[in-house]
Amino acid sequence: EVQLVESGGGLLQPGRSLRLSCTPSGFTFGDYAMSWVRQAPGKGLEWVGIIRSNRYGGTTDYAASVKGRFTISRDDSKSIAYLQMNSLRTEDTAVYYCTRGSGGYYFPYFDYWGQGILVTVSS
Amino acid sequence: QSVLTQPPSASGTPGQRVTISCSGSNSNIGSNTVTWYQQLPGTAPKLLMYRNDQRPSGVPDRFSGSKSGTSASLAISGLQSEDEADYYCAAWDDSLNGYVFGTGTKVTVL
């Protein structure tokens, strides 16, 4: 059974940094892209970014709203994905979902989702 | 603001057919495949439809997807109470070089 578990969320002040982790199980981690999606309270889904598998060079892409502040990385030897969030803003407050990406380089879809973890940015 | 536009709400009685539209542009739906996600209240989203009209294992065939030009649709036939949820379309956008979600549609079973 495929499972994705996020960890590392919490409450922090604007301008601070936080790293989320995503620990998967039930599949060969290195074969898949991993992506982060967030949802602000009462709002819709917003894609944050993606890191592709080594098959596709391990390349990354980000939403404009987080580019330059957030970094997605992966450690295939430990089967774990990360979302490093720097210079956090109040508008980054959201539930962050770790997702598994399938479908290839330009046709991704997210076939498994974690349960989500809350990040609250407030002074 | 999302580049994929959906109606904010849709509703129907049990057994009815409900259709949700998703309007985009040449750089997203017009060039790439469409995915649909279902989010039941208080839960994480779930993959409902991929590559425009493909159902993952376990998704009832009451759900169907289609795409034409720069728009896509999700249809729910034989609406059931457990279909009450938020539905989001999504696609890769070549101009933004990123993945975009629709604005979301809340389906209510009357």
Side-chain angles (χ1 to χ4, degrees):
Chain A
E1 180 191 8
V2 172
Q3 286 191 320
L4 302 169
V5 178
E6 303 93 342
S7 60
L11 169 64
L12 60 165
Q13 293 179 325
R16 303 299 291 267
S17 297
L18 189 67
R19 188 178 77 167
L20 302 183
S21 299
C22 174
T23 305
S25 60
F27 64 99
T28 303
F29 179 73
D31 289 347
Y32 291 88
M34 300 300 295
S35 188
W36 291 87
V37 175
R38 68 184 181 182
Q39 187 169 34
K43 302 297 184 182
L45 301 175
E46 181 187 15
W47 176 75
V48 173
I50 190 170
I51 185 164
R52 298 177 181 84
S53 67
N54 284 335
R55 176 185 177 187
Y56 295 107
T59 57
T60 54
D61 282 308
Y62 299 94
S65 58
V66 307
K67 198 168 187 178
R69 299 189 299 124
F70 289 12
T71 301
I72 299 174
S73 60
R74 62 189 298 157
D75 186 335
D76 287 0
S77 67
K78 297 180 179 178
S79 294
I80 190 165
Y82 301 101
L83 175 63
Q84 177 68 44
M85 302 184 290
N86 298 332
S87 304
L88 280 160
R89 305 167 180 168
T90 56
E91 55 264 35
D92 294 320
T93 294
V95 172
Y96 284 74
Y97 296 101
C98 172
T99 75
R100 188 181 84 167
S102 292
Y105 196 99
Y106 282 121
F107 305 101
Y109 54 89
F110 307 130
D111 54 1
Y112 288 94
W113 296 61
Q115 82 284 358
I117 193 158
L118 179 62
V119 173
T120 303
V121 184
S122 175
S123 53
Chain B
Q1 60 282 14
S2 176
V3 299
L4 301 183
T5 302
Q6 300 178 233
S9 63
S11 63
T13 57
Q16 278 191 326
R17 175 184 172 93
V18 169
T19 302
I20 302 168
S21 61
C22 174
S23 178
S25 65
N26 288 329
S27 63
N28 41 67
I29 294 177
S31 303
N32 300 305
T33 62
V34 176
T35 304
W36 291 89
Y37 301 93
Q38 177 194 57
Q39 187 174 29
L40 297 170
T43 70
K46 163 193 161 185
L47 177 66
L48 189 68
M49 198 75 57
Y50 66 101
R51 290 179 180 158
N52 304 326
D53 58 6
Q54 300 298 299
R55 280 188 310 275
S57 173
V59 173
D61 59 7
R62 304 185 289 104
F63 293 90
S64 61
S66 64
K67 183 184 110 167
S68 179
T70 58
S71 294
S73 292
L74 176 73
I76 311 173
S77 303
L79 192 66
Q80 298 184 6
S81 58
E82 57 260 39
D83 300 332
E84 199 159 271
D86 293 322
Y87 294 82
Y88 296 89
C89 61
W92 187 264
D93 190 294
D94 294 336
S95 295
L96 298 175
N97 203 36
Y99 198 73
V100 290
F101 285 98
T103 48
T105 299
K106 183 175 184 61
V107 169
T108 301
V109 181
L110 303 171

